[in-house]
Amino acid sequence: MKSGAQILIEGLKEQGVGVIFGYPGGVVLPIYDELYDADIRHILVRHEQAAIHAADGYARATGKVGVCLATSGPGACNLVTGLATAYMDSIPVVALTGQVPTGLLGNDAFQESDITGITMPVTKHNFLVQDVRDLKRIIREAFYIANTGRKGPVLIDIPKDVSTTKIPDEDGPEQQIKLRGYKPTYQGHGKQIQKAVELIEAAERPIIYAGGGVISSEASKELVEFAERTCMPITTTLMGLGCIPADHPLNLGMLGMHGTEYANYAITESDLLFSIGVRFDDRVTGNLATFAPNAKIIHMDIDPAEIGKNKPADIPIVGDAKSILTDLLKRIPAACTHPEWSEKVQGWKKNHPLRFKEDGKLRPQYVIRRLAEILGEKGVIVSEVGQNQMWTAQYYPFSHPRQWITSGGLGTMGFGFPAAMGAQVAVPEEPVFVIAGDGSFQMNIQELGTIAQYQIPVKIVILNNQFLGMVRQWQELFYERRYSYTELPEVQFEHIAKAYGIGAETVRSISDVDSALKRALDHKGPYLLDIRVEREENVFPMVPAGAAISEMIVGQHTEHEEE
């Protein structure tokens, strides 16, 4: 005989789960009792939101499904933001939640919440297990759904009596999963692919617009080969950074609101937009009516619902990025046919580089650039959300996929630190740095306890400007510098970290940056750097809300700096 809790643990092992991030509570005690001597590592976080973010970071670093566990009621509800984060960025996560016994469902029992109802809009699918005999099948289906097609989070809600009920041991061969109405398309339609080839061959000013779907499908190698064969420049979304090395001559960096000038100019003047694994979201397009106004659009995505949702596609192709690019490479001749366009794009790159004021003051862009020099091509870089995120996206030269982890679609402050924990657990041999603002970092600062307990050697770099920086920037530029509730009091992060037994220091001078970063890197355990940067530094370029992406604010200094 086996209990539901035993079936759950065996099902997780069957799926190759080696680590769970979680926080115990009353209704999940049967599961935690089985975890006590199970061959699965459990990381005890300090808040359930950190558990889901850590599972998310684990998934982004590896491409595998991340797993978290929380109790019912408030524990389950604390996962909602993380589920929405993973859902927006198409990250495979399985969240396990405890629930009150089935006989109490709907009775407003202690710590009861309708978590399947609450999370329906922010999960790819969810399950309420009401019969222990269904549990093994549901576990298999949950992992299958999370990690196929357009990937995403799945939640399994397990009532306490399902965990404790015992049924006869009926191990048998694993059945092939067949879900009615769920059959992702991986192979692109041959006729559509041929139409795309003809449009590419006819184009004079083509550009590739690549997103997180390229990373998810492990298609970076094919994408770069395709770009080299056609001499098409590549611009990426925030989520697509790393799909082409930063130093590749065809790489135009990130486009959109805080993208490079040359990427935005190239998009605006293109006559063909080859879009792959992207959503045409508002932070990329700006004013949709002016986005690539003269371009034909090829839109390739594994999710048919995304094609044409925001921008009509001339040639829609549903399928997996790796599969479609492989087919395209068989049909595209190895010839570059638009030297004038290439020359123009390279001219934009030369004449409009990313830049910041280098005057000996401690600026965040300098810190990021120095970190990149010190790390080289090794390591994983995780960011929080806000100015720290955009500066990292702009100035860190990502060289390969899964080197960059950030919350893109939802823009979740507090994501980066616990996601870095998950990434570090996933790739223990790699240095993992999280670049944070002092605002974002304080949203999950309690996870210092987790990295201290397990000696997870995450390196924390706080770009401390004592502001909610990105909101302050908008207030400066569009609200006459009326800094309404965006200034933060000074916090001695070094002292807080040391109270947890974590190595830490405060950096106040540009001359100390290199040595501090090297000390953090060489330290065997976790380490925190509180770097006091210029308080009113801004992120440029910047596209104002409602403007075309070619209408950028390319830089201006604050009154304080001019004085």
Side-chain angles (χ1 to χ4, degrees):
M1 302 286 283
K2 289 182 180 177
S3 69
Q6 290 173 317
I7 292 169
L8 173 63
I9 298 303
E10 289 184 359
L12 294 175
K13 289 181 179 180
E14 178 185 88
Q15 297 301 321
V17 175
V19 62
I20 295 174
F21 304 89
Y23 201 93
V27 299
V28 290
L29 283 178
I31 297 171
Y32 269 89
D33 191 58
E34 291 299 328
L35 273 173
Y36 185 80
D37 50 12
D39 189 22
I40 295 177
R41 185 183 183 190
H42 180 277
I43 303 293
L44 174 64
V45 296
R46 299 305 184 264
H47 191 290
E48 291 91 354
Q49 187 183 108
I52 182 81
H53 289 330
D56 183 318
Y58 181 97
R60 295 185 200 230
T62 61
K64 300 177 182 178
V65 178
V67 180
C68 64
L69 172 60
T71 194
S72 64
C77 287
N78 281 338
L79 300 179
V80 173
T81 298
L83 288 167
T85 301
Y87 183 71
M88 288 285 279
D89 289 346
S90 305
I91 306 301
V93 170
V94 169
L96 307 169
T97 54
Q99 185 55 276
V100 300
T102 54
L104 294 178
L105 288 171
N107 286 349
D108 293 332
F110 176 68
Q111 290 196 331
E112 179 188 4
S113 64
D114 177 14
I115 196 61
T116 53
I118 291 169
T119 61
M120 189 174 294
V122 294
T123 53
K124 189 175 176 184
H125 193 68
N126 61 30
F127 299 89
L128 171 60
V129 187
Q130 299 193 64
D131 189 326
V132 68
R133 290 169 294 186
D134 296 330
L135 184 56
K136 180 180 289 188
R137 170 185 58 80
I138 285 173
I139 294 166
R140 290 171 176 171
E141 290 179 0
F143 277 81
Y144 176 74
I145 292 169
N147 209 28
T148 54
R150 181 177 182 174
K151 301 179 182 184
V154 176
L155 181 139
I156 307 176
D157 197 29
I158 308 171
K160 186 174 182 179
D161 57 319
V162 171
S163 297
T164 56
T165 298
K166 293 186 176 182
I167 58 173
D169 187 356
E170 297 178 348
D171 275 341
E174 185 173 345
Q175 300 295 314
Q176 183 178 1
I177 296 173
K178 293 182 179 180
L179 300 174
R180 188 170 62 181
Y182 181 71
K183 191 176 181 181
T185 299
Y186 284 88
Q187 302 296 322
H189 194 283
K191 288 185 178 179
Q192 293 298 94
I193 292 174
Q194 185 56 40
K195 287 180 182 178
V197 170
E198 293 168 4
L199 203 55
I200 291 166
E201 290 178 334
E204 296 180 355
R205 301 183 305 280
I207 186 169
I208 296 170
Y209 160 36
V214 176
I215 307 286
S216 181
S217 66
E218 310 289 350
S220 298
K221 177 178 176 291
E222 289 78 7
L223 178 69
V224 173
E225 184 179 347
F226 177 81
E228 290 173 343
R229 186 175 297 186
T230 58
C231 287
M232 291 170 68
I234 297 178
T235 181
T236 73
T237 65
L238 179 71
M239 297 298 299
L241 289 169
C243 71
I244 177 172
D247 60 358
H248 194 289
L250 290 173
N251 185 11
L252 301 184
M254 184 174 70
L255 80 162
M257 177 174 280
H258 294 294
T260 65
E261 292 176 62
Y262 39 89
N264 287 348
Y265 290 146
I267 286 282
T268 303
E269 292 203 18
S270 66
D271 67 354
L272 175 63
L273 198 57
F274 183 86
S275 316
I276 181 162
V278 296
R279 298 187 293 116
F280 286 85
D281 66 285
D282 59 294
R283 288 290 166 128
V284 161
T285 65
N287 185 338
L288 263 173
T290 60
F291 183 72
N294 302 311
K296 297 285 188 181
I297 294 177
I298 302 168
H299 192 175
M300 300 160 46
D301 202 284
I302 200 162
D303 184 357
E306 286 298 341
I307 299 178
K309 184 177 78 175
N310 293 326
K311 189 83 172 175
D314 295 282
I315 300 178
I317 308 177
V318 178
D320 175 69
K322 190 180 186 77
S323 171
I324 294 172
L325 284 167
T326 299
D327 285 349
L328 277 166
L329 284 167
K330 295 174 182 177
R331 304 181 189 221
I332 289 284
C336 295
T337 56
H338 29 77
E340 292 181 4
W341 174 239
S342 298
E343 185 178 346
K344 190 171 189 177
V345 170
Q346 292 304 315
W348 282 323
K349 282 188 75 171
K350 180 180 178 181
N351 296 325
H352 302 279
L354 286 169
R355 55 200 179 277
F356 64 94
K357 194 172 183 180
E358 299 187 61
D359 54 1
K361 294 182 179 179
L362 183 44
R363 300 186 187 274
Q365 303 96 320
Y366 176 83
V367 176
I368 292 163
R369 197 171 65 185
R370 293 310 305 148
L371 176 61
E373 286 288 330
I374 290 167
L375 283 180
E377 294 189 0
K378 66 181 179 181
V380 175
I381 304 300
V382 188
S383 86
E384 285 289 353
V385 167
Q387 286 182 316
N388 63 87
Q389 177 186 37
M390 293 299 106
W391 283 317
T392 308
Q394 290 176 337
Y395 286 93
Y396 202 96
F398 299 104
S399 60
H400 56 271
R402 305 195 184 280
Q403 187 183 14
W404 165 238
I405 294 174
T406 196
S407 169
L410 198 64
T412 304
M413 292 177 69
F415 165 85
F417 179 26
M421 292 192 319
Q424 185 72 84
V425 169
V427 288
E429 72 285 355
E430 291 279 355
V432 175
F433 277 75
V434 56
I435 298 175
D438 50 316
S440 281
F441 182 68
Q442 291 184 79
M443 287 197 167
N444 272 310
I445 192 172
Q446 75 285 338
E447 296 312 311
L448 288 170
T450 306
I451 63 171
Q453 178 180 353
Y454 296 99
Q455 282 298 291
I456 301 171
V458 171
K459 316 305 181 186
I460 304 158
V461 177
I462 303 174
L463 303 176
N464 188 347
N465 56 16
Q466 295 171 49
F467 274 113
L468 299 176
M470 187 61 83
V471 185
R472 182 214 59 78
Q473 176 170 332
W474 279 67
Q475 289 174 332
E476 175 190 330
L477 298 178
F478 307 113
Y479 292 89
E480 300 178 339
R481 297 171 64 87
R482 289 163 57 85
Y483 295 161
S484 180
Y485 303 103
T486 48
E487 188 166 6
L488 299 173
E490 181 179 5
V491 176
Q492 300 296 334
F493 291 108
E494 177 184 350
H495 296 171
I496 296 171
K498 286 181 176 177
Y500 280 97
I502 293 170
E505 59 185 286
T506 303
V507 180
R508 301 178 186 273
S509 170
I510 194 170
S511 61
D512 295 329
V513 168
D514 275 28
S515 58
L517 289 171
K518 289 174 183 176
R519 277 192 294 275
L521 178 61
D522 293 340
H523 190 76
K524 291 184 179 180
Y527 205 86
L528 181 147
L529 296 177
D530 178 3
I531 303 182
R532 303 300 179 90
V533 297
E534 285 296 297
R535 296 194 65 205
E536 294 185 86
E537 187 72 5
N538 287 332
V539 179
F540 293 118
M542 177 181 180
V543 177
I549 61 169
S550 59
E551 298 172 345
M552 293 166 278
I553 303 172
V554 296
Q556 66 186 63
H557 301 300
T558 65
E559 294 171 10
H560 174 72
E561 285 178 340
E562 289 169 355
E563 289 167 3

